[in-house]
Amino acid sequence: MHLVVEAVTSCRFEVTDPASEEVVLMKILQVLLACMKSKVSVMLSNQHVCTIVNTCFRVVHQAGTKGELLQRIARHTMHELVRCIFSHLPDVDNSERALVNGGSSLKKEVFLQIGGLDNEYSFMNNQLENGNNNSEYAGQASSVGFTTSASMNLANAMDESTIGANNGKESVGHDLHLMTEPYGVPCMVEIFHFLCSLLYIVEQMGTGPASNTIALDEDVPLFALGLINSSIELGGPSIRRHPRLLTLVQDELFRNLMQFGLSASPLILSMVCSIVLNLYHHLRTELKLQLEAFFSCVILRLAQNRYGASYQQQEVAMEALVDFCRQKTFMVEMYANLDCDITCSNIFEELANLLSKSAFPVNCPLSAMHILALDGLIAVIQGMAERISNGSVVTERCPVTLEEYTPFWMVKCDNYSEPTSWVPFVRSRKYIKRRLMIGADHFNRDPKKGLEFLQGTHLLPEKLDPQSVACFFRYTAGLDKNLVGDFLGNHDEFCVQVLHEFANTFDFQDMNLDTALRLFLETFRLPGESQKIQRVLEAFSERYYEQSPQILANKDAALLLSYSLIMLNTDQHNVQVKKKMTEEDFIRNNRHINGGNDLPREFLSELFHSICKNEIRTTPEQGAGIPEMTPSRWIDLMHKSKKSPPYIVADSKAYLDHDMFAIMSGPTIAAISVVFDHAEHEEVYQTCIDGFLAVAKISSCHHLEDVLDDLVVSLCRFTTLLNTSLVEEPVLAFGDDTKARMATITVFTIANNYGDYIRTGWRNILDCILRLHKLGLLPARVASDAADDSEISSETGPGKPITNSLSSSHMPSSIGTPRRSSGLMGRFSQLLSLDTEEPRSQPTEQQLAAHQRTLQTIQKCHIDTIFTESKFLQADSLLQLARALIWAAGRSQKGNNPPEDEDTAVFCLELLIAITLNNRDRIVLLWQGVYEHISNIVQSTVMPCALVEKAVFGLLRICQRLLPYKENLADELLRSLQLVLKLDARVADAYCEQITQEVSRLVKVNATHIRSQMGWRTITSLLSITARHPEASEAGFDAVTFIMSDGAHLSPANYVLCVDAARQFAESRVGQVERSLRSLDLMAAVGCLSQWARQTKEATMGEEEAAKMAQDIGEMWLRLVQGLRKVCLDQREEVRNHALLSLQRCLTGIDGVALSHSLWLQCFDMVIFTMLDDLLELAQGHSQKDYRNMEGSLVLALKLLSKVFLQLLDELSQLTTFCKLWLGVLSRMEKYMKAKVRGKRSEKLQELVPELLKNTLLVMKAKGVLIQRGSLGGDSLWELTWLHVNNIAPSLQSEVFHDQGSETQKGETAATPLAGGVAIPTTETIVS
């Protein structure tokens, strides 16, 4: 194999004709490629492989003057060779270790110095074998050799670009030893180095002379870049195992890529970008700062047209950026590694902003560029949305705060590969970075206040120290460099200390003095005063000398030379200096400054040329958004990259997405919306919709409600449903507008899937729903609620949702239902119905198709589920939905378009009631708002209308359905029914019957759930009102009967109220007398009072409680008899007399209830006596026509008096006020005796009164109540009794006390005192 390779690579031949020459060269290429591709190639040494590549490249080089075919084959062979060699890299490590035994690892990957080997083997063969130096590339004889001055330049350049290797002469031995080993990393390092140097040459030479056959401006770099790309693709991650190769990639290759990235050729830029993408894939962990530099100095620079980039460059840069965005973890890693690093720029933020801005078409139609940027943006968003599905979304985010000062530039992460460790670290770094930026802003306005602000946020210590301030200046972006320069140049002792600490933050190791000075002066503006300049340069020189003494004798030498460089810089680059310093002048000026000796001439000469070619900028670039990559900055970058914290590799979990999305959500929604607005193709619509849905998913997952609301607002605009500008045929227009239909489906998809996190957005969604409702496009189910399915009654009575949808003939069967003829469809329903009065043309195919599309769209929206599934909404969202409904209803109530607006208000109310019923478990949340809304409607309506009907019956329905479930809310719910009592009379009258039916239904179903007096008061008030309403009274009475019959649902809480309600029905003249009599029977059922009294006795309760209960029962009884007293005055004879009998029953037939004496006295005063007086007055004052047969009633009343009095005699006679009571009875009898009914005395009363009186006196006598005793004042019971009795019937005294004459009794004292315990013969006979 060795011999074959040597023979073929050294092949020389005479050229007879060009065609045969090309054939021979092709054959050479074939043989070499075959050698490399065969299995035996493992026997080839490093040297042979290098020679093969070298030979092949020469052919490529020469082919430029030959035929097209040879050129192509040569280049193809070169590619194949590189692929073949580098595909060997992943396996090379182990085999190499086995081959090079005993060799130290350093020797294995030693820098193979170009030119360190014999020329025979050297890559850059400098012999001009057949050459004549003058005619470039024009040698007639052909060989496989490299010719011309280009190769010289190539060689020189290669020599120059060798970095930090040993001296060639010493390393030759090892190199030869290594080069003869079977091939591995050493030859790859050589080849890779050579490929990088090809780029470097082109840079050095610029565009070659016109006679060059290879157009160096594009061809060579493209060729080299292609080879480099292949080698990286195949070497891949294995490169990081070989430090020598990795260093080439990190420094030389990347530096060249940065230069070529700004090339005007889109092809080169494209190639550079694909190399960087490959490097990102395989080696990103080793290229953190290089990637940052590439994005900030190349991609961001070119993609924004501010920097004079051509459209093609912008497009290529944007394409590259989009390719990066499609890498799932790219943006997360940029954010974690760069945006959250204090010393790096915010690449993620800048890229996201760039994508948003670039997607915005400003005053121009959509171009490919806009769509490209949109793709990138949506790729980032969809990446986030996908990560959500991978779990680990932190819902509870702890806010980052700094409790105390720690030097922010020192903080390190414990473990950069463990998310639990790096995520909080990165978030706190970002927080610090943000606070520093705010601090910088304060500092730029007022340095003192800026530092105080940072002390307040714990970023600087309470007592400032020089190091912390120096680090603030060094690591904070956005500081005003003039202010920093002034601070550092100040003579104040603290400022001087800060200056020295500031200089100590730089790393000048192995740097040229001019490079170090450039880096130092880039961070602030050098002050103008000479003393300040001196102080600054002293600090710099001290640091420089400490780190890179090189040939300087002491720090003074460094100081003097630095001064000299500043002066040279001013001299060379200030336009006002006419006579410029020469190199000789510069060298002469710097004699004897190195500790009394001269510095080497070459050293000074190099410094002189460096400053002349490249100015040291002492004034910072104002407003320079994107810096250029200068050589000094690159050197600094390489220094920093050695100390940079490890690269964080993100996995597919959503650790930082919340923070990232918060940064980019606003511009993203805006950009997608604008593109959606301008787009005209369905695939672009779809891309935007995907973006919208991804944004919705992320916002809801990370609980970013504001973002979701913004999105909903934005989308609702596109549904065209909000523009009420009267389109001729809104339904058809909607059917023809793909964009509007897609937006509508998206809005409702978001509402259904992510409704939990919508807040103010509900208003916009509701506006869309209302618009569809006005157009009659909503499914009938929308306003119903889940619980309605169980209600079997089919008629749409009050309390049923009013169905609203297109009539069946116009709708697909799935959502067809009868519709109210509210004419909401306007022109369109006429368009479709062919039987209208005026003849109309049939709808066209297109119109029918458009209508069909509209209906299909609405079906896909599933609008009804928003409300039927509202029970799953989060509380905040549900509350906002309810508020939105109230707001929309309120707005339409105020409108000037009554019929349509009322319809809207009714519809909103239906929806509100539906969600209230669907959320019975969370009624507390909604109740206040719902109640207030219904209350407003009820109190502001003066005429019957659909809205107030809906409000009242909705309220009743809510109560009916919720009472069984919400006992704690029962009072609240029932109190709300008082609204019905506040209805305007006309409104109440119109709906009275249905309201009563509903209340009746409510009572029958929920009587057991109504516990409080307040609740019952509301119910009985509602029922009482109906007593005088012709239509409603039947249902009302029905409900009262249900509660009171058999005392089924009576309780101490509702007894008095129910009695009162029954009295209203008894007194009401609406309906038959029969009903009044039944009402009286209901009232007079005192069984429950006895029962409660019995239960009180049996119950084990405290004395106080029992006494209280007894007192309450007494009160109830008193209220009952008072109620009956009122009915006793009724005009209708049957009712009056029945009331009297009922009253008598209640007064005499109350067993087991202990009524106190005071109660009885009250009863006589307020009930019995009053009733007798009132009846008498009625009998005497009204005509027979008004009050028929009053005589009979008076008789009944007197009998009642007598009977009650006698029954209670025992108890009452012991009271001190008995005399007064007895006189009351007598005076009533006297009045009745003398009463004139219809002008003459009543015979019946004339007979009855003496009889009743006699009876009473006999009983009193028998019981020993009425007996003669001695009297002092003459006002004794005895005397007063006879005084009255004689007025009524003078003969009674002798009849009752026939054994004692009145005269003989007078003045005698009673021997026996009045005693309750005397045994008295039974008086039954007398009483009867």
Side-chain angles (χ1 to χ4, degrees):
M1 282 303 280
H2 292 183
L3 292 170
V4 171
V5 171
E6 278 165 21
V8 177
T9 51
S10 313
C11 168
R12 300 282 181 277
F13 56 92
E14 287 295 317
V15 178
T16 49
D17 67 304
S20 58
E21 178 201 7
E22 288 188 21
V23 172
V24 175
L25 290 174
M26 281 183 206
K27 291 293 180 194
I28 289 173
L29 294 173
Q30 270 181 327
V31 173
L32 293 177
L33 186 56
C35 288
M36 278 312 299
K37 282 195 161 177
S38 71
K39 287 181 181 169
V40 202
S41 65
V42 293
M43 304 310 294
L44 295 173
S45 67
N46 283 312
Q47 182 57 61
H48 285 120
V49 174
C50 288
T51 313
I52 289 172
V53 174
N54 191 9
T55 307
C56 195
F57 185 74
R58 283 179 194 165
V59 176
V60 172
H61 194 59
Q62 286 184 356
T65 57
K66 309 281 192 296
E68 177 80 9
L69 183 62
L70 179 63
Q71 275 188 37
R72 294 200 167 197
I73 286 181
R75 286 173 173 239
H76 175 71
T77 309
M78 188 77 178
H79 263 286
E80 286 298 305
L81 281 175
V82 168
R83 292 180 72 82
C84 194
I85 295 162
F86 277 88
S87 60
H88 189 54
L89 183 63
D91 328 319
V92 88
D93 206 2
N94 309 335
S95 55
E96 191 183 18
R97 206 166 283 137
L99 293 167
V100 187
N101 285 325
S104 74
S105 62
L106 183 114
K107 286 179 195 161
K108 246 182 266 177
E109 297 198 276
V110 78
F111 254 114
L112 295 172
Q113 202 93 17
I114 304 294
L117 307 173
D118 298 339
N119 266 353
E120 191 188 341
Y121 291 127
S122 169
F123 238 33
M124 299 302 148
N125 197 333
N126 289 347
Q127 298 165 322
L128 304 177
E129 292 179 1
N130 305 316
N132 100 38
N133 213 357
N134 310 330
S135 65
E136 299 188 345
Y137 294 90
Q140 287 305 306
S142 180
S143 85
V144 194
F146 216 156
T147 58
T148 75
S149 58
S151 67
M152 289 302 239
N153 281 343
L154 213 55
N156 297 341
M158 292 298 295
D159 278 342
E160 277 175 35
S161 66
T162 305
I163 302 169
N166 312 357
N167 192 330
K169 295 287 171 282
E170 295 161 19
S171 61
V172 169
H174 300 306
D175 292 349
L176 283 176
H177 165 66
L178 264 182
M179 291 309 268
T180 52
E181 291 287 354
Y183 86 96
V185 175
C187 74
M188 295 184 205
V189 171
E190 273 299 327
I191 294 164
F192 201 78
H193 194 348
F194 165 62
L195 295 176
C196 294
S197 66
L198 279 178
L199 297 175
Y200 191 66
I201 297 314
V202 178
E203 229 175 276
Q204 297 281 314
M205 293 175 65
T207 308
S211 57
N212 272 9
T213 40
I214 295 183
L216 270 173
D217 56 334
E218 194 169 275
D219 207 41
V220 174
L222 267 180
F223 179 55
L225 289 168
L227 294 173
I228 289 170
N229 201 17
S230 298
S231 57
I232 287 165
E233 267 178 10
L234 291 156
S238 315
I239 294 175
R240 71 161 66 91
R241 296 209 306 265
H242 309 290
R244 179 73 186 82
L245 266 177
L246 185 58
T247 309
L248 276 174
V249 170
Q250 286 172 324
D251 190 352
E252 196 171 336
L253 171 62
F254 235 105
R255 190 175 66 233
N256 289 329
L257 292 177
M258 297 286 291
Q259 295 290 339
F260 276 98
L262 297 173
S263 140
S265 153
L267 284 170
I268 291 181
L269 175 57
S270 178
M271 201 69 215
V272 167
C273 292
S274 30
I275 293 175
V276 177
L277 185 59
N278 274 322
L279 287 170
Y280 169 78
H281 261 302
H282 299 309
L283 298 171
R284 59 180 181 274
T285 54
E286 317 298 331
L287 298 171
K288 175 173 157 180
L289 298 182
Q290 286 88 335
L291 286 167
E292 178 197 12
F294 179 73
F295 283 110
S296 54
C297 301
V298 178
I299 298 286
L300 283 162
R301 194 184 185 85
L302 293 179
Q304 300 180 359
N305 46 16
R306 307 210 286 269
Y307 293 95
S310 67
Y311 182 79
Q312 281 91 345
Q313 281 175 299
Q314 285 181 48
E315 200 164 20
V316 173
M318 188 54 74
E319 272 176 5
L321 176 52
V322 172
D323 282 338
F324 274 101
C325 292
R326 290 192 176 117
Q327 314 307 311
K328 298 290 181 220
T329 58
F330 168 70
M331 281 298 211
V332 189
E333 288 177 3
M334 290 300 105
Y335 181 75
N337 289 294
L338 304 176
D339 288 56
C340 297
D341 188 326
I342 291 167
T343 57
C344 298
S345 47
N346 292 337
I347 293 293
F348 159 75
E349 209 164 319
E350 286 175 30
L351 292 179
N353 282 338
L354 169 67
L355 287 169
S356 306
K357 277 189 200 139
S358 308
F360 252 90
V362 184
N363 309 329
C364 61
L366 269 189
S367 66
M369 186 75 148
H370 297 131
I371 305 296
L372 195 59
L374 178 76
D375 284 344
L377 205 51
I378 287 176
V380 178
I381 293 292
Q382 286 184 325
M384 289 184 183
E386 281 170 34
R387 282 195 287 278
I388 288 171
S389 323
N390 303 334
S392 179
V393 175
V394 188
T395 41
E396 290 304 312
R397 311 188 60 77
C398 44
V400 183
T401 49
L402 291 178
E403 297 303 323
E404 54 184 30
Y405 165 73
T406 46
F408 59 84
W409 61 94
M410 307 276 280
V411 185
K412 293 279 179 285
C413 176
D414 302 335
N415 184 348
Y416 284 93
S417 54
E418 178 51 58
T420 50
S421 177
W422 68 253
V423 173
F425 168 73
V426 155
R427 289 187 66 227
S428 71
R429 292 291 278 192
K430 184 65 183 171
Y431 172 80
I432 290 171
K433 191 173 183 177
R434 283 208 178 104
R435 305 306 293 182
L436 284 173
M437 299 297 272
I438 299 169
D441 200 40
H442 284 293
F443 180 86
N444 294 345
R445 278 182 293 212
D446 180 340
K448 188 161 179 265
K449 283 190 179 158
L451 295 175
E452 282 169 6
F453 168 81
L454 289 165
Q455 286 173 291
T457 52
H458 303 299
L459 285 170
L460 291 178
E462 281 178 32
K463 187 177 184 312
L464 286 179
D465 65 76
Q467 190 190 14
S468 59
V469 178
C471 288
F472 167 63
F473 288 158
R474 178 79 166 92
Y475 299 121
T476 307
L479 285 172
D480 183 329
K481 294 184 177 179
N482 294 325
L483 291 174
V484 177
D486 285 344
F487 192 100
L488 294 176
N490 200 319
H491 61 78
D492 178 73
E493 191 188 343
F494 182 73
C495 295
V496 174
Q497 291 173 329
V498 171
L499 172 63
H500 282 275
E501 287 291 351
F502 183 76
N504 288 343
T505 61
F506 287 86
D507 175 13
F508 296 138
Q509 203 80 39
D510 305 325
M511 251 186 222
N512 286 347
L513 181 68
D514 68 314
T515 303
L517 192 55
R518 282 174 203 281
L519 287 175
F520 187 65
L521 295 180
E522 249 178 24
T523 50
F524 61 94
R525 181 181 181 175
L526 194 60
E529 299 161 38
S530 56
Q531 288 170 318
K532 289 188 174 184
I533 295 176
Q534 170 144 7
R535 275 193 288 275
V536 169
L537 289 180
E538 270 173 7
F540 165 74
S541 312
E542 200 174 302
R543 177 66 173 167
Y544 182 77
Y545 178 73
E546 188 186 308
Q547 287 195 297
S548 289
Q550 294 170 334
I551 52 172
L552 296 173
N554 51 32
K555 63 181 182 189
D556 291 345
L559 174 63
L560 289 166
L561 193 50
S562 306
Y563 242 120
S564 189
L565 288 179
I566 296 282
M567 287 162 69
L568 171 65
N569 188 57
T570 310
D571 175 273
Q572 293 292 324
H573 299 286
N574 190 326
V575 285
Q576 292 166 345
V577 179
K578 297 292 178 262
K579 187 176 182 301
K580 302 291 185 192
M581 197 187 292
T582 63
E583 187 177 338
E584 284 306 319
D585 294 339
F586 179 69
I587 293 171
R588 192 170 51 253
N589 289 348
N590 288 300
R591 282 202 185 125
H592 311 311
I593 63 168
N594 197 18
N597 300 323
D598 283 353
L599 287 160
R601 186 181 177 88
E602 311 80 68
F603 176 73
L604 291 172
S605 178
E606 191 184 324
L607 286 176
F608 178 82
H609 288 294
S610 170
I611 299 291
C612 290
K613 265 194 271 181
N614 200 341
E615 176 187 2
I616 296 178
R617 294 191 179 277
T618 50
T619 52
E621 307 153 16
Q622 282 310 318
I626 293 171
E628 284 182 71
M629 182 48 70
T630 57
S632 54
R633 283 181 186 158
W634 184 260
I635 293 167
D636 185 41
L637 184 143
M638 293 313 295
H639 270 92
K640 276 186 188 162
S641 65
K642 294 189 180 74
K643 296 179 180 169
S644 177
Y647 184 95
I648 294 168
V649 180
D651 58 15
S652 54
K653 302 271 175 54
Y655 298 118
L656 299 171
D657 286 355
H658 177 281
D659 304 358
M660 291 165 62
F661 187 68
I663 292 170
M664 68 181 289
S665 58
T668 301
I669 294 176
I672 303 177
S673 302
V674 172
V675 174
F676 190 60
D677 198 14
H678 284 66
E680 287 166 3
H681 297 294
E682 213 158 316
E683 55 273 25
V684 182
Y685 296 162
Q686 194 51 55
T687 309
C688 295
I689 295 291
D690 293 345
F692 285 136
L693 288 171
V695 168
K697 182 175 180 180
I698 302 162
S699 332
S700 64
C701 192
H702 293 296
H703 301 195
L704 297 161
E705 292 88 356
D706 303 355
V707 179
L708 198 54
D709 285 338
D710 289 349
L711 174 64
V712 167
V713 170
S714 192
L715 268 169
C716 286
R717 250 196 9 256
F718 294 117
T719 59
T720 67
L721 296 171
L722 303 187
N723 336 350
T724 42
S725 54
L726 294 163
V727 190
E728 194 44 44
E729 297 289 3
V731 180
L732 293 184
F734 185 70
D736 287 330
D737 189 342
T738 312
K739 189 187 292 184
R741 292 201 315 278
M742 287 175 91
T744 306
I745 292 174
T746 312
V747 167
F748 289 109
T749 306
I750 290 171
N752 276 311
N753 295 351
Y754 309 115
D756 274 346
Y757 302 100
I758 298 175
R759 298 288 180 265
T760 53
W762 281 122
R763 289 190 176 189
N764 300 69
I765 293 173
L766 205 59
D767 282 341
C768 293
I769 295 176
L770 293 177
R771 178 87 173 122
L772 290 169
H773 168 73
K774 280 180 186 166
L775 296 174
L777 291 173
L778 285 187
R781 291 273 313 134
V782 171
S784 65
D785 55 89
D788 271 342
D789 304 340
S790 58
E791 293 186 10
I792 301 143
S793 58
S794 54
E795 81 283 344
T796 307
K800 286 283 167 299
I802 302 166
T803 58
N804 177 21
S805 113
L806 278 170
S807 62
S808 314
S809 58
H810 306 164
M811 296 288 271
S813 57
S814 58
I815 50 174
T817 39
R819 145 189 177 77
R820 278 185 302 182
S821 56
S822 56
L824 290 183
M825 266 299 293
R827 291 175 292 278
F828 188 63
S829 48
Q830 292 169 6
L831 172 80
L832 287 176
S833 56
L834 306 174
D835 48 34
T836 44
E837 299 84 33
E838 48 189 287
R840 267 190 177 277
S841 57
Q842 263 191 298
T844 64
E845 284 293 315
Q846 286 93 326
Q847 288 174 326
L848 285 170
H851 186 225
Q852 200 52 36
R853 284 194 295 274
T854 300
L855 297 184
Q856 284 166 352
T857 302
I858 303 305
Q859 259 185 296
K860 285 181 192 159
C861 291
H862 302 296
I863 297 171
D864 51 334
T865 56
I866 295 175
F867 302 100
T868 52
E869 301 297 300
S870 61
K871 52 177 166 290
F872 302 116
L873 276 181
Q874 278 193 2
D876 285 349
S877 177
L878 178 65
L879 197 54
Q880 291 291 349
L881 174 56
R883 283 179 186 163
L885 282 163
I886 292 166
W887 169 80
R891 191 187 48 181
S892 54
Q893 272 173 276
K894 295 188 193 98
N896 309 322
N897 187 350
E900 207 171 81
D901 282 337
E902 193 198 15
D903 196 79
T904 303
V906 169
F907 182 64
C908 290
L909 185 58
E910 284 180 3
L911 293 178
L912 188 61
I913 291 167
I915 64 168
T916 308
L917 293 176
N918 272 321
N919 289 280
R920 65 181 187 212
D921 298 329
R922 298 188 286 179
I923 181 69
V924 183
L925 193 66
L926 299 172
W927 180 246
Q928 192 58 34
V930 174
Y931 172 73
E932 281 171 15
H933 178 54
I934 291 178
S935 169
N936 288 339
I937 295 173
V938 166
Q939 293 179 359
S940 63
T941 313
V942 290
M943 291 302 285
C945 63
L947 182 62
V948 76
E949 179 183 349
K950 187 53 130 173
V952 170
F953 293 116
L955 184 62
L956 283 163
R957 204 156 136 244
I958 291 171
C959 291
Q960 280 175 15
R961 294 269 291 284
L962 296 181
L963 274 176
Y965 301 102
K966 293 280 159 197
E967 295 200 354
N968 53 339
L969 261 187
D971 282 4
E972 193 72 32
L973 290 167
L974 291 165
R975 186 181 297 128
S976 70
L977 292 179
Q978 291 174 1
L979 283 179
V980 180
L981 302 171
K982 295 179 185 169
L983 280 171
D984 183 273
R986 282 166 291 191
V987 181
D989 191 52
Y991 302 121
C992 194
E993 186 178 3
Q994 294 107 302
I995 292 174
T996 313
Q997 283 169 359
E998 290 299 308
V999 174
S1000 177
R1001 186 181 306 174
L1002 173 84
V1003 169
K1004 288 179 180 175
V1005 176
N1006 295 305
T1008 51
H1009 300 292
I1010 307 172
R1011 304 266 164 83
S1012 72
Q1013 191 166 0
M1014 204 273 336
W1016 279 111
R1017 177 169 292 120
T1018 308
I1019 295 287
T1020 51
S1021 311
L1022 286 168
L1023 295 174
S1024 302
I1025 289 173
T1026 66
R1028 286 173 178 71
H1029 193 283
E1031 288 89 31
S1033 59
E1034 190 52 51
F1037 184 65
D1038 187 38
V1040 172
T1041 310
F1042 172 78
I1043 301 168
M1044 296 183 71
S1045 56
D1046 307 327
H1049 297 291
L1050 286 174
S1051 66
N1054 68 2
Y1055 184 79
V1056 173
L1057 297 165
C1058 291
V1059 163
D1060 208 40
R1063 180 177 66 77
Q1064 298 281 355
F1065 280 97
E1067 289 178 345
S1068 162
R1069 318 250 341 219
V1070 173
Q1072 304 296 319
V1073 169
E1074 165 69 15
R1075 187 195 291 157
S1076 298
L1077 302 183
R1078 277 167 56 206
S1079 305
L1080 287 168
D1081 290 341
L1082 289 175
M1083 286 174 78
V1086 285
C1088 50
L1089 292 177
S1090 313
Q1091 186 187 340
W1092 296 333
R1094 200 164 52 250
Q1095 284 167 352
T1096 308
K1097 282 178 192 150
E1098 290 164 10
T1100 51
M1101 50 172 84
E1103 277 179 35
E1104 270 183 44
E1105 218 176 317
K1108 170 87 176 68
M1109 189 64 199
Q1111 189 185 341
D1112 288 351
I1113 292 171
E1115 290 286 336
M1116 288 181 230
W1117 170 80
L1118 185 61
R1119 294 291 290 275
L1120 166 67
V1121 291
Q1122 280 175 316
L1124 284 168
R1125 173 188 73 78
K1126 290 178 185 164
V1127 190
C1128 292
L1129 308 178
D1130 197 279
Q1131 256 183 310
R1132 294 164 297 170
E1133 183 189 355
E1134 302 96 311
V1135 178
R1136 192 169 58 234
N1137 294 346
H1138 198 81
L1140 284 163
L1141 293 170
S1142 301
L1143 178 60
Q1144 184 174 319
R1145 248 197 342 272
C1146 292
L1147 291 169
T1148 57
I1150 181 145
D1151 307 322
V1153 180
L1155 298 171
S1156 67
H1157 296 152
S1158 61
L1159 256 183
W1160 276 115
L1161 290 174
Q1162 264 178 294
C1163 175
F1164 271 97
D1165 273 347
M1166 292 160 62
V1167 179
I1168 301 174
F1169 291 162
T1170 312
M1171 185 252 315
L1172 286 162
D1173 296 349
D1174 291 352
L1175 269 176
L1176 189 59
E1177 197 179 320
L1178 287 174
Q1180 289 175 331
H1182 290 76
S1183 68
Q1184 169 70 9
K1185 196 161 76 235
D1186 292 339
Y1187 285 84
R1188 290 178 187 285
N1189 199 356
M1190 282 300 289
E1191 215 173 352
S1193 303
L1194 296 174
V1195 167
L1196 286 173
L1198 268 181
K1199 285 182 177 173
L1200 178 147
L1201 169 70
S1202 166
K1203 187 161 187 183
V1204 174
F1205 179 74
L1206 288 174
Q1207 188 169 334
L1208 295 169
L1209 189 59
D1210 283 353
E1211 292 177 48
L1212 298 177
S1213 59
Q1214 308 204 19
L1215 297 177
T1216 51
T1217 54
F1218 173 68
C1219 184
K1220 187 181 166 195
L1221 177 71
W1222 169 232
L1223 289 179
V1225 173
L1226 286 174
S1227 69
R1228 287 339 178 262
M1229 288 189 170
E1230 191 176 335
K1231 266 189 203 166
Y1232 270 59
M1233 188 72 187
K1234 294 175 182 168
K1236 288 186 179 178
V1237 182
R1238 289 198 305 282
K1240 57 181 197 303
R1241 291 196 172 191
S1242 157
E1243 291 174 17
K1244 286 185 183 174
L1245 290 177
Q1246 298 287 326
E1247 288 172 22
L1248 180 70
V1249 173
E1251 192 183 320
L1252 287 176
L1253 184 55
K1254 181 180 178 185
N1255 212 354
T1256 309
L1257 291 169
L1258 284 169
V1259 175
M1260 288 172 79
K1261 175 188 172 192
K1263 295 200 177 217
V1265 174
L1266 184 67
I1267 42 177
Q1268 189 181 15
R1269 308 178 195 82
S1271 81
L1272 300 165
D1275 59 346
S1276 70
L1277 180 72
W1278 176 267
E1279 285 194 8
L1280 290 171
T1281 303
W1282 297 120
L1283 204 65
H1284 277 279
V1285 171
N1286 290 339
N1287 284 349
I1288 301 167
S1291 60
L1292 274 180
Q1293 183 170 10
S1294 54
E1295 281 178 39
V1296 177
F1297 289 88
H1298 47 83
D1299 50 341
Q1300 299 169 283
S1302 61
E1303 292 81 8
T1304 57
Q1305 295 290 329
K1306 272 184 186 168
E1308 285 188 20
T1309 24
T1312 32
L1314 190 66
V1318 180
I1320 293 170
T1322 55
T1323 55
E1324 297 295 318
T1325 48
I1326 307 168
V1327 173
S1328 60

